[in-house]
Amino acid sequence: MGRSPCCEKAHMNKGAWTKEEDQLLVDYIRKHGEGCWRSLPRAAGLQRCGKSCRLRWMNYLRPDLKRGNFAEEEDELIIKLHSLFGNKWSLIAGRLPGRTDNEIKNYWNTHIKRKLLSRGIDPNTHRSINGSTTPPPKTTKSSLQNDEPVRFEISGPDQQRIVKPEPMVLDREDANNKCTSSGTTSEKDIQTDDDWVLNLELSVGPATTKSYRYELTRKANPDLAESTRRWSFELLGAQAEVCLCCRIGFHNESCRNCRTSDVTTTWESKIL
DNA sequence: AAGCCAACCAACCGCCCCGGG
DNA sequence: ACCCGGGGCGGTTGGTTGGCT
């Protein structure tokens, strides 16, 4: 039995796309839009697998793609996002307008890995290879080990998940680093035992328009034994219309494209 | 000029997720 | 609740290019 192949491979072209094939695909999508990839090749007169058409369009022919070298800012952003998401290239690509997951993946493997290694940083763990260049995480009373990831899922009041991707995984060191640089709460608050604050920027709905900036606060719950490894979370959010530039961190004070509403909501979240 | 090698990147493969029936 | 198919994703491959000897 098994699964039927996505297409009749015997009659399909493989390998590099010709200009004629590109033109057929572009013309068809301009006229009809992106639809069912499985039936598209036949309709467009292409001897290609639907998946192949999708890939070619997504990675190469889409008009909104930015071609050319990566800027230094993009490098650093990729490194930061990789430290948060790992090899979730599509998530990373979602925050780099005009870049594709494939492009970022290739760039990571050919450039950034080496760049990090030359800095003495392990590209997989984002930690110092010899353990001397990055500061050690703060000592806390937490029962979490320093290298143990904190997994949490953020849900809205109606229990609808507002984080569509995998539950975010942050290591403790990363979270602590964010605490100290957030500036949204007092040093005193940050330093106390298990409390920390984490600034999140989440996207909901069409990735290009709306985003939500949240401040996630973890507070030690004195009612729970440490061994249960549970904390209460408060998620204070502000809904915002944020332009792409600002979303990827190149915020300009004079930006008129961003509008922030003063809606602040308390959300619940839980440790998984 | 030819051969070799490393780097780059487009494309493929196979698995997984999710929505619809 | 289960199955199926389409779409999406991450890992990998292999062809191309450019630099060096």
Side-chain angles (χ1 to χ4, degrees):
Chain A
M1 274 285 280
R3 220 176 152 144
S4 61
C6 70
C7 51
E8 289 279 346
K9 291 187 191 298
H11 305 102
M12 293 293 153
N13 290 343
K14 287 180 74 172
W17 279 64
T18 64
K19 282 187 176 175
E20 290 74 24
E21 286 177 313
D22 281 350
Q23 199 56 53
L24 281 172
L25 183 55
V26 169
D27 288 347
Y28 182 85
I29 293 179
R30 273 194 191 141
K31 204 169 178 182
H32 301 95
E34 294 174 37
C36 173
W37 291 108
R38 193 182 172 93
S39 59
L40 183 148
R42 185 190 293 264
L46 284 159
Q47 299 277 79
R48 289 275 179 175
C49 162
K51 278 188 164 190
S52 180
C53 293
R54 177 187 160 271
L55 207 66
R56 182 66 178 169
W57 174 254
M58 294 293 192
N59 288 338
Y60 202 82
L61 298 173
R62 256 165 52 199
D64 57 331
L65 289 182
K66 187 198 286 184
R67 318 284 317 170
N69 296 339
F70 281 76
E72 187 62 31
E73 290 84 358
E74 288 179 299
D75 278 20
E76 295 306 319
L77 185 58
I78 291 170
I79 292 168
K80 278 183 185 161
L81 291 171
H82 188 272
S83 72
L84 279 174
F85 299 130
N87 292 1
K88 301 286 181 186
W89 305 115
S90 58
L91 281 180
I92 295 172
R95 300 200 162 212
L96 282 146
R99 302 294 188 186
T100 70
D101 52 355
N102 205 35
E103 192 178 14
I104 294 170
K105 177 175 58 183
N106 283 332
Y107 188 64
W108 175 269
N109 288 325
T110 56
H111 289 85
I112 299 185
K113 262 187 179 177
R114 255 182 296 157
K115 189 174 181 175
L116 289 178
L117 286 170
S118 73
R119 291 180 187 174
I121 296 170
D122 184 329
N124 296 315
T125 62
H126 293 264
R127 289 165 188 266
S128 167
I129 289 169
N130 58 19
S132 63
T133 54
T134 46
K138 287 175 185 157
T139 308
T140 77
K141 289 182 184 173
S142 167
S143 56
L144 272 180
Q145 299 302 304
N146 285 332
D147 58 352
E148 183 176 357
V150 179
R151 292 172 178 273
F152 53 87
E153 180 182 277
I154 303 166
S155 303
D158 57 355
Q159 296 306 308
Q160 259 193 329
R161 286 184 64 183
I162 60 169
V163 178
K164 180 76 176 169
E166 295 291 309
M168 293 183 73
V169 179
L170 299 163
D171 66 35
R172 185 170 186 79
E173 183 176 345
D174 193 41
N176 278 327
N177 288 340
K178 282 183 170 60
C179 291
T180 54
S181 64
S182 75
T184 54
T185 185
S186 71
E187 255 327 91
K188 180 174 165 290
D189 287 340
I190 297 165
Q191 299 284 2
T192 53
D193 296 335
D194 279 350
D195 296 352
W196 47 257
V197 174
L198 175 63
N199 287 327
L200 296 174
E201 189 180 324
L202 310 172
S203 294
V204 179
T208 53
T209 55
K210 258 186 187 173
S211 71
Y212 296 77
R213 289 179 184 280
Y214 287 103
E215 186 179 289
L216 180 65
T217 309
R218 192 189 80 165
K219 290 189 175 167
N221 187 340
D223 299 332
L224 292 172
E226 278 200 8
S227 59
T228 61
R229 297 187 178 184
R230 293 177 73 90
W231 291 267
S232 61
F233 281 77
E234 262 183 4
L235 191 61
L236 305 175
Q239 185 176 343
E241 300 277 352
V242 184
C243 75
L244 279 175
C245 298
C246 297
R247 283 187 62 215
I248 63 173
F250 303 120
H251 180 70
N252 180 342
E253 289 303 322
S254 63
C255 178
R256 294 181 186 177
N257 297 324
C258 298
R259 289 185 293 117
T260 305
S261 57
D262 54 358
V263 180
T264 299
T265 320
T266 302
W267 300 78
E268 291 292 331
S269 55
K270 64 179 181 183
I271 289 272
L272 296 180

